[in-house]
Amino acid sequence: MNELMEMLKDRPFFEGLSEAHMKLLAACAALRSFEPDVCLFREHEPAEAFYLVRSGTVALESRLPGRGARTFATLGEGDMLGWSWLIPPYRWHYDARAITPVHTVHFDAAVLRDRMDHDPELGYALLKRFTGLIVERLQAARLQSLDIYGDADVGLGG
Amino acid sequence: MSVSAAEPAHEPMAPEPWRIRQVRREVADGEVFTWTMEPLSGEAAVARPGQFNMLYLFGVGEVAISISALADDGTPVHTIRAVGSVTRAMQDLGPGDVVGLRGPFGSAWPVAAAEGRDLVLAAGGIGLAPLRPVVHAVLARREAFGRVLVCYGARSPRDLIFRDELEQWRANPDLDLRVTVDRGTADWKGDVGVVTQLIDRGGFDGRNAIAMVCGPEVMMRFSALSLHRRGIAPERIHVSMERSMRCALGFCGHCQIGPHFVCRDGPVFPYPAMEPAFRVNEL
């Protein structure tokens, strides 16, 4: 558990959490690794976890009828993965697949959700961090959808 | 060929004839291409990374094109995207054809100011072209710089330019190259997402880093926010602006942004000088 605590303390996402809350997070955490092509989770499955990606690349994918899986984002070292565990009905909204060997810290979100309900300070601290993460990803998705490299992207090149 | 100071050669409004020596297609459909050229006079001014030249296709028109490399003999290399009437016509030219060239013009990337610091280069789309000479300058004196992170975003894998060189950079332990695309393909094994996410993953000391950003304005705005969030002071973030350059000398006003003439005072600016303009629609 000490090893996990040290690992989490280094990450900006957990910066500012109290010692007690860090201990609780570490108690809910375990190291998990995934071989290439293995799914960390699949769309519609119960969302009972979130992850800190320690190394490797994870593809977030949606399946389109007749077109197979389409990657809409990738996550890498230091990224947090998963917030569906925070929002009813607590089911994943997409697939997450390892595209290289992936090493993660896996958090038992079901336990944490229960603790957050009973400890508003913990609940607020984690919600604040996950809301920031959701906003970052939303901004990124908006930029992606704008097709900013279309014909208007001339630069001093044309 | 002889080279002289960094000021435009001869009469700055008169194009000098240059011959295209080599054409390289950067993407499959040839929409982006690179010209290596030589001056018919045998003389050329030496450009600095970040500057641009005015290229004149006789009888068609003139466009501002950034310098994407400096050849071994100091002559500028230009990478062009065929999107307007002039650049589309340029797409049909080949080795031996002659065009007019005025330049080099404008401000340069502050490469010397990056010495002793970590350096973050963020490029979007064809914005990699003006930043490429910075990478070359850094690699030539690698020991003078701290960590060097190159973040490059493009629309799709087929839109990536300088592919061979990207592979060399990726294999070079002196550089940390990260590439992402907005839309992947079935065979794309790299990152999918926007270039700001590559910056957010960090790997540099923001307190002692300098950043240079080139791409669509919305990309530069969000990149500057990400860089600042990672600890880089706004005055150490530099952006390269694109506007309709005509005279390239600060006379005609076509490229004016507030008090700044992009052709003369830019195209490279410290971010705080351009930040107010980024907040004005259609400016």
Side-chain angles (χ1 to χ4, degrees), chain A residues 12 57 70-77 79 99-100 136-137 139-141 143-158, chain B residues 52 64-66 79-81 83 87 124-126 153-155 182-183 189-194 197 200-201 216 218-219 222 241-242 245 267:
Chain A
T57 305
R70 286 295 168 99
T71 301
F72 59 86
T74 50
L75 300 180
E77 185 188 342
D79 286 330
I99 54 178
T100 64
E136 261 176 41
R137 302 275 163 83
Q139 287 288 13
L143 270 181
Q144 250 174 304
S145 70
L146 287 177
D147 192 20
I148 60 172
Y149 304 120
D151 283 350
D153 166 36
V154 177
L156 291 183
Chain B
F52 68 95
I65 302 291
S66 58
T79 298
I80 302 163
R81 184 174 174 201
V83 285
T87 47
I126 198 164
R155 184 198 241 170
D182 280 358
R183 285 172 189 77
K189 301 293 179 205
D191 277 318
V192 177
V194 290
Q197 291 171 297
D200 287 334
R201 282 174 199 154
V218 63
M219 169 264 170
F222 280 98
M241 300 297 289
E242 188 276 331
M245 322 278 205

Side-chain angles (χ1 to χ4, degrees), chain A residues 151 154 157-158, chain B residues 60 63 80-91:
Chain A
D151 283 350
V154 177
Chain B
V60 181
V63 286
I80 302 163
R81 184 174 174 201
V83 285
S85 57
V86 179
T87 47
R88 282 203 186 94
M90 285 175 163
Q91 204 175 0

Side-chain angles (χ1 to χ4, degrees), chain B residues 1-7 44-48 51 67 70 73-76 104:
Chain B
M1 191 196 79
S2 66
V3 292
S4 57
E7 292 305 311
V46 176
R48 290 173 293 151
Q51 290 191 298
I67 293 161
L70 295 166
D73 60 2
T75 53

Side-chain angles (χ1 to χ4, degrees), chain B residues 189-268:
Chain B
K189 301 293 179 205
D191 277 318
V192 177
V194 290
V195 75
T196 52
Q197 291 171 297
L198 302 180
I199 295 168
D200 287 334
R201 282 174 199 154
F204 55 88
D205 177 6
R207 293 160 305 175
N208 187 38
I210 193 166
M212 303 177 193
V213 185
C214 189
E217 280 186 19
V218 63
M219 169 264 170
M220 292 200 288
R221 184 155 50 94
F222 280 98
S223 294
L225 289 173
S226 291
L227 291 160
H228 186 40
R229 200 165 48 232
R230 297 286 311 176
I232 303 186
E235 60 273 15
R236 282 189 275 109
I237 300 170
H238 300 266
V239 295
S240 179
M241 300 297 289
E242 188 276 331
R243 282 295 183 276
S244 173
M245 322 278 205
R246 297 286 171 84
C247 71
L249 296 165
F251 292 151
C252 73
H254 278 92
C255 64
Q256 197 169 354
I257 299 178
H260 307 288
F261 289 89
V262 174
C263 67
R264 186 193 63 193
D265 308 324
V268 176

